[in-house]
Amino acid sequence: MTATRTPRATPAAAPVKDPAPDRAGRLRRIRPLTLPAAVLLLLALLPYSALDVPVLLDGPVNSPGSLQLFALCLVFGGLALGYDLMFGRTGLLSFGHALYIAGGAYGTQLAMAELGLGLVPAAVLTLVLGTLAAVVLGAVSLRTLALGSVGFAMVTLAFAQAGSIYVERNPGGLTGGEEGLPLHVDGVPEALVGVQNTAHVYWLALAYLTLVAAVVWTVTARPIGRVWQGIRDNEQRVAVLGRSPFACKLGAFTLASALAVLGGVLHLLVTAGATPHTSTPEFTLTLLVMVVLGGSGTRWGPVVGGVLFTYLDQRLGGWNLGVEPMLFLGALFVAAVYAAPGGLTALGRRRSS
Amino acid sequence: MDTLVLLTLTGLGLGALYFLIASGLALIFGLMDVLNFAHGAFLTVACYTAWRTAGTVGGIPGLLLAAVVGTATGLALAVVVELVLIRRLYGRIKEQILVTVGLSLAVPALVQTVWGADARTFPVPDALSGTVGVLGARVPVNRFLLIAVALLVLFGVRLFLSRTRYGLIVRAGVEDRAMVTALGIDVTRAFTLVFALGGALAGLAGVLGGIYFGSLSPHQGTSLLVFAFVVVIIGGLVSITSVALSALSVGLVQQYANYYAGGYGDLAVVFLLAAVVLARPAAGTGSPLGRLRRALTAHRTHAAGGTA
């Protein structure tokens, strides 16, 4: 970067970034789309496959059980990718992401059940309110950096804990306490309700993951993504160059939270209910584990981590190993921090190069 | 009046518990910049070993032995974690935090695998399960035990930090680790020491938490840890006394709000945290509101000034 040599070079550096794209540049811009498109096509066709995979799945690929598992994996892939917008791309270690996921799930559920809205208006209302809340809470959390970035981590954790306690207290019978709430099916379109329609829910989850990937990949490739990367690597330098780290970090926080709210809506639909577990700080920790396991700050890492972790978390219980799945996953994670510092995707890359 | 007394003493007892957890966290964080998520796991495991000991031996001797076993468990766990896991990642703060996060997920799962997911009853001797009349209020005896232990720990840690050579190194390390290293002092030994101290205090807190709540569960430590984090932020890293005062205020606010605000003590604590965070003079002076306004509008100059 020429801009790093002297601060005065900043205005001059900006136009250099987007010259008329030459042929190689254009190619580079198109080629990254082929792999995602192929993956997307493959995933979209899964419900048409009756393939039987003995140990890995309980039933054929297109059985409702398998499709629901896949849908959950995809939702977590999206959630992890959204979380990585803060963690891997901007260097913000938030422990309060669960607040927005639970907010999306419970908000949509309550808007449907209490206000009598349909799924889409309820989700939009929740998204708007959740984003506003993210702006306010994000501004408060980001002001705490007197303790370093860890202050941010602890304050977001405290906010999420408050939300979690609120959910578990079951105020006025609203949240259902520890039982959670079953999906309010009256508000949901018929095509998304019931076992026979699991494929539709699956496609919706795929659409969510696609949306998150499109947003995250696009935004991080833009100038603001560079600024986020700069903040992650050296915040002081970004400040000296005349950018406001606070505003940029708040932007990343808000965008990631909005994606999390949407993910909460999907989680509600896929699991057919709002569970208090989505609000706990532990839930955020699992997202962090997914991101690091797959490879933070990379295109595919968070998605791979989210899908793999969710699959193992769901399946390990069924294999009757006699231990809690989280014991295995936590140990795997600790081992991965040492053995695969850049995540699993980086492991593959290192071997191939 | 009697309600107020009961609430105050209960709040103080809870604050004592928070202090035991938060003091170790604050020392570890201050010295090593490690946000130790495994702290709650130390507490949980210590609580379970203490529960086994107290259940086997029984009575007051059982409880005393349980306290020793619990503290030793916390200490041993912390030392092992520091030496085996944290030390290899020296200088990589994020990875260190990630390892403790992994432990905080794996250890409760391990505890759950060994001792089951259901909450167990902690055997409290009769001498500690009764109540005492204070100004017309019936206050459980264990509150006084917690407060007394916390006071002892406070003075002990203060003495350690102010009167011993290692205390001096720890204090200097919190202020400026690079300078201590430059003076030829091996800070890594202080790391192990602080981790051991924090683990021992967490273990003790596990035993006292068992007595306070009368029960234990695999996720007990994790939920207490969140409030310990809050205590650390509110107290800042000024001194061990500031951590104690912060723990006290968090415990009291939680208890008062639980009673007077319809059971929302935990939320009140978070509001307290937000208020403290906003009001804390970070850079420059002025009212909290004015600072917030400036932060939202003219952060550019502020940020530039902060780095200059």
Side-chain angles (χ1 to χ4, degrees):
Chain A
M1 287 221 341
T2 52
T4 55
R5 273 185 216 144
T6 152
R8 213 175 287 166
T10 331
V16 177
K17 266 181 191 159
D18 42 5
D22 55 351
R23 182 171 270 248
R26 216 179 302 148
L27 260 182
R28 214 175 297 138
R29 205 163 293 171
I30 294 168
R31 198 180 291 160
L33 283 179
T34 47
L35 178 62
V39 172
L40 180 63
L41 188 68
L42 188 72
L43 288 175
L45 292 177
L46 270 190
Y48 297 110
S49 156
L51 199 67
D52 222 341
V53 191
V55 182
L56 298 180
L57 291 173
D58 270 338
V61 168
N62 62 357
S63 67
S66 303
L67 282 180
Q68 206 224 0
L69 175 64
F70 293 150
L72 200 63
C73 289
L74 294 179
V75 169
F76 274 99
L79 287 174
L81 191 56
Y83 181 77
D84 192 49
L85 198 59
M86 281 192 290
F87 177 73
R89 306 282 186 174
T90 319
L92 289 174
L93 184 55
S94 162
F95 286 111
H97 211 53
L99 184 63
Y100 304 98
I101 299 167
Y106 279 94
T108 310
Q109 164 77 13
L110 291 178
M112 287 193 296
E114 304 292 325
L115 304 178
L117 295 176
L119 174 66
V120 175
V124 169
L125 177 70
T126 312
L127 184 61
V128 171
L129 291 180
T131 311
L132 285 177
V135 173
V136 174
L137 295 181
V140 174
S141 315
L142 285 167
R143 286 301 297 155
T144 61
L145 297 177
L147 272 176
S149 60
V150 172
F152 173 75
M154 289 199 263
V155 173
T156 48
L157 176 69
F159 282 136
Q161 178 71 5
S164 172
I165 291 163
Y166 188 79
V167 165
E168 274 174 24
R169 281 287 160 78
N170 196 8
L174 263 186
T175 63
E178 287 178 9
E179 306 282 309
L181 294 168
L183 177 64
H184 184 78
V185 281
D186 293 355
V188 182
E190 247 175 63
L192 292 174
V193 181
V195 178
Q196 70 279 9
N197 288 325
T198 315
H200 298 152
V201 177
Y202 168 82
W203 280 319
L204 201 61
L206 183 61
Y208 168 70
L209 176 59
T210 314
L211 173 77
V212 175
V215 168
V216 171
W217 292 349
T218 313
V219 170
T220 47
R222 295 193 156 261
I224 182 70
R226 307 281 173 185
V227 177
W228 286 338
Q229 198 183 340
I231 290 173
R232 183 190 68 189
D233 297 338
N234 190 338
E235 182 172 340
Q236 289 195 347
R237 185 175 279 171
V238 172
V240 169
L241 290 176
R243 287 285 190 155
S244 155
F246 178 81
C248 296
K249 284 192 285 190
L250 188 58
F253 184 86
T254 310
L255 182 56
S257 302
L259 292 175
V261 171
L262 261 188
V265 179
L266 262 297
H267 194 273
L268 171 77
L269 289 173
V270 171
T271 59
T275 47
H277 177 65
T278 51
S279 70
T280 57
E282 206 187 19
F283 195 77
T284 312
L285 293 187
T286 53
L287 286 182
L288 177 64
V289 169
M290 290 170 194
V291 167
V292 175
L293 206 59
S296 67
T298 59
R299 274 169 86 91
W300 290 99
V303 182
V304 171
V307 169
L308 188 70
F309 184 98
T310 312
Y311 173 78
L312 287 175
D313 191 26
Q314 296 288 318
R315 293 293 299 164
L316 281 177
W319 286 335
N320 277 325
L321 300 178
V323 294
E324 291 290 314
M326 203 50 88
L327 172 59
F328 175 75
L329 289 167
L332 175 74
F333 174 65
V334 171
V337 171
Y338 295 95
L344 296 177
T345 46
L347 213 61
R349 201 173 309 134
R350 209 180 303 152
R351 199 166 296 156
S352 68
S353 66
Chain B
M1 180 63 197
D2 52 344
T3 319
L4 193 65
V5 171
L6 178 63
L7 287 176
T8 308
L9 284 169
T10 306
L12 288 177
L14 196 60
L17 201 56
Y18 290 156
F19 166 70
L20 287 177
I21 310 167
S23 50
L25 270 183
L27 278 176
I28 292 172
F29 178 61
L31 188 67
M32 309 166 66
D33 295 331
V34 176
L35 188 62
N36 185 16
F37 270 85
H39 220 71
F42 299 161
L43 188 149
T44 309
V45 177
C47 196
Y48 270 88
T49 54
W51 163 70
R52 293 288 299 175
T53 316
T56 320
V57 182
I60 292 281
L63 192 69
L64 287 176
L65 193 62
V68 173
V69 169
T71 312
T73 310
L75 191 145
L77 264 179
V79 169
V80 168
V81 165
E82 206 278 329
L83 288 180
V84 176
L85 296 175
I86 305 289
R87 174 151 295 183
R88 302 158 126 230
L89 298 171
Y90 174 66
R92 288 154 66 192
I93 294 157
K94 212 161 226 169
E95 275 85 357
Q96 288 177 331
I97 295 177
L98 291 177
V99 165
T100 64
V101 164
L103 287 175
S104 79
L105 292 174
V107 173
L110 178 68
V111 169
Q112 199 170 325
T113 309
V114 178
W115 285 298
D118 295 335
R120 308 286 188 138
T121 314
F122 197 90
V124 183
D126 294 337
L128 281 174
S129 53
T131 57
V132 190
V134 181
L135 296 172
R138 307 297 306 173
V139 182
V141 185
N142 60 43
R143 311 287 190 264
F144 297 104
L145 176 74
L146 262 74
I147 297 167
V149 172
L151 282 176
L152 278 178
V153 167
L154 173 61
F155 285 115
V157 172
R158 274 186 63 104
L159 275 182
F160 163 74
L161 286 177
S162 59
R163 296 294 152 103
T164 64
R165 183 182 149 72
Y166 270 104
L168 184 70
I169 295 175
V170 169
R171 275 189 301 147
V174 171
E175 288 285 323
D176 190 340
R177 196 174 51 215
M179 185 51 99
V180 176
T181 319
L183 290 173
I185 296 167
D186 187 6
V187 192
T188 49
R189 269 219 216 123
F191 288 176
T192 316
L193 185 77
V194 162
F195 238 86
L197 181 66
L201 292 181
L204 188 60
V207 182
L208 291 173
I211 297 171
Y212 179 88
F213 296 111
S215 66
L216 61 163
S217 62
H219 292 279
Q220 188 143 324
T222 318
S223 45
L224 278 171
L225 184 68
V226 175
F227 290 105
F229 282 152
V230 172
V231 167
V232 172
I233 311 170
I234 292 180
L237 292 167
V238 186
S239 69
I240 205 78
T241 319
S242 70
V243 174
L245 287 176
S246 155
L248 210 71
S249 46
V250 167
L252 285 176
V253 163
Q254 199 171 10
Q255 284 303 316
Y256 289 149
N258 256 343
Y259 186 79
Y260 294 111
Y264 286 106
D266 307 321
L267 288 186
V269 167
V270 175
F271 283 125
L272 175 72
L273 168 77
V276 168
V277 161
L278 289 177
R280 177 169 293 157
T285 48
S287 69
L289 254 183
R291 250 201 316 279
L292 178 68
R293 198 166 51 241
R294 232 176 308 139
L296 292 173
T297 52
H299 32 73
R300 233 171 241 215
T301 49
H302 165 249
T307 53

